[in-house]
Amino acid sequence: MAVLTFTDETTSTVAPAKLFKALVLDVDTIVPKVIPVFKSVAIVEGNGGAGTVKKITINEGGEDKYVLHKIDAIDEANFVYNYSVIGGDGLPDAAEKISFESKLAAGPDGGSIAKLTVHFHLKGDAKPTEAELKEGKEKGDGLFKAVEGYVLANPNY
């Protein structure tokens, strides 16, 4: 099985602790408020820690789709969150799974630097299309900005 790896980095004006809380600890309640296509997040297995599997259901174009999201590691002290998309109809056909390693660090002026590494585990010789890769990045960027916007719009958060 081949693995394609991508890295990305972005900055935020939100402090790492507050951004981690929103993006990781409270994401299941925030995302449905800020991204209308999200319908539900349900724990399928586990207690919310490493090993937990969540079913995330969205509605795109009037059609419900889901992904199975497995938490690989959560390190609140170091603002690290690793997870994998392991199944569902939102997982591209070429992928066996897609693993994400994310870390927030202190950035300029009290903000954050978000670092993301994506490992796209391929099925056999399959390869994702450029459109699938672009769409995945756009969705990830959109989720980050939507949650960041929620935190900025709610000063008491």
Side-chain angles (χ1 to χ4, degrees):
M1 163 180 36
V3 178
L4 296 176
T5 300
F6 307 95
T7 58
D8 196 19
E9 187 174 297
T10 191
T11 60
S12 173
T13 58
V14 178
K18 189 177 272 196
L19 194 56
F20 186 83
K21 182 178 183 309
L23 284 168
V24 176
L25 305 177
D26 296 341
V27 71
D28 294 350
T29 57
I30 293 174
V31 169
K33 294 176 186 177
V34 298
I35 301 178
V37 298
F38 272 78
K39 289 185 67 177
S40 65
V41 178
I43 292 180
V44 175
E45 177 181 312
N47 62 4
T52 295
V53 177
K54 298 178 183 182
K55 181 179 180 181
I56 300 169
T57 304
I58 62 171
N59 186 283
E60 287 185 322
E63 182 181 347
D64 284 352
K65 295 182 180 182
Y66 76 95
V67 293
L68 295 176
H69 171 123
K70 182 178 182 185
I71 299 171
D72 297 320
I74 298 176
D75 181 348
E76 290 183 52
N78 294 300
F79 310 123
V80 171
Y81 182 63
N82 299 341
Y83 66 95
S84 297
V85 174
I86 59 169
D89 45 22
L91 184 64
D93 291 337
E96 186 168 307
K97 73 176 182 176
I98 304 172
S99 298
F100 300 83
E101 299 170 1
S102 62
K103 177 161 181 43
L104 294 172
D109 302 320
S112 302
I113 299 171
K115 297 179 182 183
L116 179 68
T117 302
V118 179
H119 302 284
F120 204 106
H121 299 260
L122 301 170
K123 291 179 182 174
D125 294 333
K127 291 197 179 357
T129 66
E130 288 297 318
E132 288 172 327
L133 295 174
K134 182 180 176 186
E135 179 183 8
K137 179 169 177 13
E138 287 172 354
K139 285 181 178 179
D141 290 348
L143 183 133
F144 182 89
K145 288 299 179 188
V147 172
E148 177 190 46
Y150 177 86
V151 173
L152 291 170
N154 293 281
N156 294 327
Y157 175 78

